[in-house]
Amino acid sequence: MFTDYHVHTEFSDDSDYLMEDVIKDAIKMNMDEICFTDHVDYGIKRDFDDPRGMLYRKGGPGEPEKMPLANVDYPKYFEKIALLKKKYPEIVIKQGMEFGMQMYTIDLYQKLFNRYSFDFIILSCHQVEDKEFWTQDFQRGRTQQEYNERYYKEILDVIKNYKDYSVLGHLDLISRYDENGPYPFEKIKPMIQEILEIVIQDGKGIEINTSSHRYGLKDSQPSRDILKLYKELGGKIITIGSDSHKPDHLGAYINEAKELLKELGFEYYCTFEKMKPIYHKL
């Protein structure tokens, strides 16, 4: 079975990959199932209909001078998915989102989750204190130990307080933007273990995010150490997603991720329906 469970489209403010084009491309690739997981990042972004108006960022190469920092246009999003399900019955289409959550934004996500029907939710940590990792704003002024521990503490606090998700996305995302190089796993292992124990106890899972390949990381994301620890602790729910934003990202390195899971002793990976995991033999 060929699936991709981390896919962004024009409904994410960092992608212009049309949702229908994603489906057409997935069908050409003989994909069996796909799950849309467009971005919601309360804190640094606002909803499309926020009465306070829109926030903007400076446009990059090939973009307008000002780019809106907008969350998903929810009514249009679900309407488009419903239309595509009818138009392309040859592929299974699931509706999800990626919640880029921080402690102080939990209530907003709870209201959003309660308002709509979801198959799948990726819970990610993209910012802490509204500070971005990729710009180094979060890391600046902190030692490597301090920003690593602060990052995992945020995730730990969030999952203690929020339970309506399916998997943790790219759990060690901070490593992607760590200009000081790999932080020793043993130093952060106790916090990661506590996170994974709560995830397992709550019946949730983690994802393998295959974008590690295109970012040139030397390890998987999450790392082999985290995947091994997850298995040792009894973790079984795991999804595989490309984190695609462009056509050449879609479906990339999914088979390699399956091979890695088999190598580490996992027997299954998961898809989801109405927030319930479905297991598939690797």
Side-chain angles (χ1 to χ4, degrees):
M1 187 172 181
F2 185 17
T3 68
D4 193 336
Y5 256 64
H6 195 145
V7 178
H8 298 286
T9 73
E10 80 269 23
F11 287 94
S12 290
D13 67 349
D14 58 356
S15 174
D16 58 6
Y17 195 3
L18 297 179
M19 189 177 272
E20 185 163 9
D21 288 346
V22 172
I23 294 299
K24 289 178 180 177
D25 290 344
I27 291 169
K28 287 178 187 175
M29 297 166 68
N30 295 315
M31 208 173 281
D32 299 290
E33 184 169 327
I34 197 163
C35 186
F36 292 113
T37 57
D38 279 291
H39 283 298
V40 180
D41 287 282
Y42 286 119
I44 68 157
K45 299 176 187 176
R46 293 177 181 173
D47 286 338
F48 66 98
D49 58 354
D50 193 305
R52 296 170 295 175
M54 191 55 60
L55 297 170
Y56 293 87
R57 65 171 173 84
K58 185 178 179 181
E63 293 179 335
E65 186 177 340
K66 288 171 60 178
M67 290 291 291
L69 285 165
N71 289 323
V72 172
D73 186 334
Y74 310 120
K76 289 183 180 178
Y77 183 69
F78 291 110
E79 181 182 339
K80 189 68 172 285
I81 290 175
L83 184 152
L84 293 174
K85 283 182 177 181
K86 291 179 181 177
K87 189 172 181 179
Y88 299 98
E90 60 267 49
I91 186 170
V92 176
I93 302 171
K94 298 292 178 65
Q95 55 190 33
M97 282 185 187
E98 183 177 13
F99 287 1
M101 200 175 294
Q102 302 175 70
M103 269 298 291
Y104 87 97
T105 61
I106 285 177
D107 287 348
L108 293 169
Y109 288 98
Q110 191 64 68
K111 289 175 184 175
L112 174 58
F113 182 83
N114 293 342
R115 199 183 316 153
Y116 295 102
S117 174
F118 293 97
D119 289 306
F120 181 67
I121 296 291
I122 300 173
L123 177 57
S124 297
C125 182
H126 292 139
Q127 305 88 23
V128 179
E129 302 157 7
D130 283 346
K131 294 177 180 177
E132 299 275 22
F133 310 142
W134 65 276
T135 61
Q136 301 297 309
D137 287 347
F138 172 68
Q139 297 92 315
R140 196 171 294 115
R142 290 182 165 107
T143 66
Q144 188 180 31
Q145 177 180 346
E146 287 170 343
Y147 59 71
N148 271 276
E149 290 182 352
R150 179 68 185 88
Y151 168 78
Y152 288 109
K153 177 68 162 52
E154 187 76 4
I155 294 174
L156 183 58
D157 288 343
V158 166
I159 64 170
K160 285 179 178 178
N161 290 277
Y162 184 79
K163 304 297 181 180
D164 288 319
Y165 69 97
S166 309
V167 300
L168 292 185
H170 40 53
L171 176 53
D172 54 356
L173 177 65
I174 192 68
S175 67
R176 185 192 295 175
Y177 304 109
D178 195 335
E179 295 184 346
N180 290 305
Y183 189 66
F185 177 68
E186 290 304 316
K187 290 187 177 182
I188 209 71
K189 182 178 177 181
M191 293 186 76
I192 292 176
Q193 180 162 333
E194 188 175 358
I195 289 168
L196 294 177
E197 286 172 345
I198 293 171
V199 165
I200 294 166
Q201 179 181 326
D202 289 343
K204 311 301 181 184
I206 63 173
E207 74 156 359
I208 289 189
N209 188 301
T210 68
S211 69
S212 58
H213 292 272
R214 71 173 184 263
Y215 283 106
L217 303 184
K218 294 179 180 178
D219 205 343
S220 59
Q221 192 146 70
S223 67
R224 286 170 176 258
D225 284 327
I226 292 176
L227 293 169
K228 288 176 185 176
L229 179 58
Y230 181 61
K231 186 174 187 304
E232 288 169 8
L233 293 171
K236 295 180 180 178
I237 297 173
I238 192 158
T239 61
I240 305 172
S242 67
D243 206 342
S244 70
H245 292 73
K246 300 177 180 179
D248 58 346
H249 299 165
L250 186 66
Y253 303 102
I254 300 290
N255 289 331
E256 287 84 347
K258 288 181 179 179
E259 290 303 313
L260 173 59
L261 287 176
K262 285 195 279 188
E263 178 188 322
L264 296 176
F266 288 91
E267 296 182 48
Y268 301 92
Y269 72 102
C270 292
T271 57
F272 274 76
E273 185 168 358
K274 299 188 185 307
M275 299 297 290
K276 302 292 184 184
I278 301 167
Y279 292 85
H280 305 273
K281 188 77 175 174
L282 282 163

